[in-house]
Amino acid sequence: HFMEKKINLNVKETEKNLRVDVFINKQENNISRTRIKNLILDKKLKLNDQIILDPSKKTTSGDVLELTIPIPKKASLKPYKYKLDIVYEDKDLIVINKPAGIVIHPGAGNFDNTIVNALINYDKNSLSNIGDELRPGIVHRIDKNTSGLIVIAKNNSTHENLSIQFSKHTITRIYQLLIWGKIRPSKGRLETFITRSSKNRQMMEVSQTKGKKAITNYITVETFENENIPTLSLLECKLETGRTHQIRVHMKFLGNNIVGDDKYKKKFKKIKNIDPLLEKNIVNLNRQFLHAKTIKFMHPRKKKKMIFDTILPQELEIILKMLRNTGK
C-alpha cells in the first residue's frame, strides 16, 4: 500500500543548533512537528547516514538529513458508500455517532470498509492529514464493536488542538455499559497500568509495573437482580485516559466483564435462571454492551464548550427494557 518520498536537507551555518524536528519543520512547513517527531521515532530520519531516534538532537553546520515519508498509493483509501450518522458538523470538525460493527480506520485485513473510507466518500477534501496517512481526520477512536460518539478533525489546526486536549485529558468522555454482577463499592476510580498482553498481541491487560497509565471513573447507575436473571449492572464510566480497550480491560480486571465482549470474557457456564427471550437477546448480541454516550470538548476555533449526547442503540436499549421488566 505504500510508496516512499525522501526529503534531503543540508544544514547551513545559520541554521545550526536547532532541534532536528524544528529544523525540518522550518524547511517543510506542510508537515507538522508532531508528524515529524513520529517519523523520527519510527526510524525514518537519517542524520549523516545514521538513523537517529531523538527529535531533540541539535543540528550542526554541514549536517545532511534524509527524512523518509511513507505515502499511500492514492488507491489505498477507496470511498465507501455508507450512511454516516452525523450529529454535528461545521468547517472544523464533524461529530459522528458510530454504530457497532464498523472499524474506524483502515488497517490489517480491512482497507476499504471503515469510517475513514465513508468520510472520504462523504467529503474527501476536508479531513486533516497530519496523522498516519490511513487515518485522515482521526483524533481518537472507539473499538469496532463499541458504538457512540467520535469527533473528526477537518483540518490540521483542529487536529493538533483536539490532540492536545486529549493528551491533557480535558476532553470528557462518558460511556454506558452493562456488566455481569455488581461492583463494590458501587462507584470508584480505577488506576492501573495497561500493556499489551504477552500471550496475545491483539489483547491488552492490566500490569502492576509496565505499560501506560489508565484511569477509569465508574458509577453504578442501576443493578438488576431477581430470580429470573443473573445479576447485571448498568454502569457509567468516565475516562481520564483513553487507552486501547481501557474500559473492557478494567472491567475484566475487576471480574465484571462487559456483556457481549467476546475478547475479554470469562468462560461462562450455561446461564442459570434466565428469561429465555432475554437470554436470546444477550447470546445473539454480536457486540459488547459499551456505548460512548457523551463527549465534551472545547471548540478549537470558537473557544466554546461543545457537549454532545446520544441515546443507546436499539440492540442495547431492548436488553435494558427487558431487564427492567423482569423485576416487576
Coordinates of all heavy atoms in Angstrom, one line a residue, residues 88 90 93 95 172 295-300 302-308:
Y88 N -23.2 16.5 14.3 CA -22.8 17.9 14.3 C -21.7 18.0 13.2 O -20.9 17.2 13.1 CB -22.3 18.4 15.6 CG -21.8 19.8 15.6 CD1 -22.7 20.9 15.7 CD2 -20.4 20.0 15.4 CE1 -22.2 22.2 15.6 CE2 -20.0 21.3 15.4 CZ -20.8 22.4 15.5 OH -20.3 23.7 15.4
D90 N -19.3 21.4 11.4 CA -19.0 22.8 10.9 C -17.7 22.8 10.1 O -17.3 21.7 9.7 CB -18.9 23.8 12.2 CG -17.8 23.4 13.1 OD1 -16.8 22.8 12.7 OD2 -17.9 23.8 14.3
L93 N -14.8 20.6 12.2 CA -15.0 19.2 12.8 C -16.3 18.6 12.5 O -17.3 19.3 12.1 CB -14.7 19.3 14.3 CG -15.4 20.3 15.2 CD1 -16.7 19.7 15.7 CD2 -14.5 20.7 16.3
V95 N -18.9 15.5 14.3 CA -19.1 14.6 15.3 C -20.0 13.5 14.8 O -21.1 13.8 14.3 CB -19.7 15.2 16.6 CG1 -20.0 14.2 17.7 CG2 -18.8 16.3 17.1
T172 N -14.0 15.3 28.0 CA -14.8 14.4 28.8 C -15.5 13.4 27.9 O -16.1 13.7 26.9 CB -16.0 15.2 29.5 OG1 -15.4 16.2 30.3 CG2 -16.8 14.3 30.4
I295 N -19.7 13.2 24.8 CA -18.4 13.8 24.6 C -18.5 15.3 24.8 O -19.4 15.9 24.4 CB -17.8 13.4 23.3 CG1 -16.3 13.8 23.2 CG2 -18.6 13.9 22.1 CD1 -15.5 13.2 22.0
K296 N -17.5 15.9 25.6 CA -17.4 17.3 25.8 C -16.0 17.8 25.5 O -15.1 17.1 25.9 CB -17.7 17.7 27.2 CG -19.1 17.4 27.8 CD -19.2 17.9 29.2 CE -20.2 17.0 30.0 NZ -20.3 17.3 31.4
F297 N -15.9 18.9 24.7 CA -14.6 19.4 24.5 C -14.7 20.9 24.2 O -15.8 21.4 24.0 CB -13.9 18.6 23.3 CG -14.7 18.7 22.0 CD1 -14.6 19.7 21.1 CD2 -15.6 17.6 21.8 CE1 -15.4 19.7 19.9 CE2 -16.4 17.6 20.6 CZ -16.2 18.6 19.7
M298 N -13.5 21.5 24.1 CA -13.5 23.0 23.8 C -13.4 23.1 22.3 O -12.5 22.5 21.7 CB -12.3 23.6 24.5 CG -12.2 25.1 24.3 SD -13.6 26.0 25.1 CE -13.2 25.9 26.8
H299 N -14.3 23.9 21.6 CA -14.1 24.0 20.2 C -12.9 24.8 19.9 O -12.6 25.9 20.4 CB -15.3 24.8 19.6 CG -15.4 24.7 18.1 ND1 -14.5 25.4 17.3 CD2 -16.3 24.1 17.3 CE1 -14.8 25.1 16.0 NE2 -15.9 24.3 16.0
P300 N -12.0 24.2 19.1 CA -10.6 24.8 18.8 C -10.7 26.2 18.3 O -9.9 27.0 18.7 CB -10.0 23.9 17.8 CG -10.7 22.6 18.0 CD -12.1 22.9 18.4
K302 N -13.8 28.3 18.0 CA -14.8 29.2 18.6 C -14.5 29.3 20.1 O -15.2 30.2 20.8 CB -16.2 28.6 18.5 CG -16.6 28.5 17.0 CD -18.0 27.8 16.9 CE -18.3 27.6 15.4 NZ -19.5 26.6 15.3
K303 N -13.6 28.5 20.7 CA -13.3 28.5 22.1 C -14.5 28.5 23.0 O -14.7 29.2 24.0 CB -12.5 29.8 22.4 CG -11.2 29.9 21.7 CD -10.2 29.0 22.3 CE -8.8 29.0 21.6 NZ -8.6 27.8 20.7
K304 N -15.5 27.7 22.6 CA -16.6 27.4 23.5 C -16.8 26.0 23.7 O -16.4 25.1 22.9 CB -17.9 28.1 23.0 CG -18.5 27.6 21.7 CD -19.8 28.3 21.4 CE -20.6 27.4 20.5 NZ -21.6 27.9 19.7
K305 N -17.4 25.6 24.9 CA -17.6 24.2 25.2 C -18.7 23.6 24.3 O -19.8 24.1 24.2 CB -18.1 24.1 26.7 CG -17.0 24.0 27.7 CD -17.3 23.0 28.7 CE -16.1 22.5 29.5 NZ -15.5 23.5 30.3
M306 N -18.3 22.4 23.8 CA -19.3 21.7 23.0 C -19.6 20.4 23.7 O -18.7 19.7 24.2 CB -18.6 21.3 21.6 CG -17.9 22.4 20.9 SD -19.1 23.6 20.3 CE -19.8 22.8 18.9
I307 N -20.9 20.1 23.8 CA -21.4 18.9 24.5 C -22.3 18.1 23.6 O -23.2 18.7 23.1 CB -22.1 19.3 25.8 CG1 -21.2 20.1 26.8 CG2 -22.6 18.0 26.5 CD1 -21.9 20.5 28.1
F308 N -22.0 16.9 23.4 CA -22.9 16.0 22.6 C -23.2 14.8 23.4 O -22.4 14.2 24.2 CB -22.1 15.6 21.3 CG -21.7 16.8 20.5 CD1 -20.5 17.3 20.6 CD2 -22.7 17.4 19.7 CE1 -20.1 18.4 19.8 CE2 -22.3 18.6 19.0 CZ -21.1 19.1 19.0

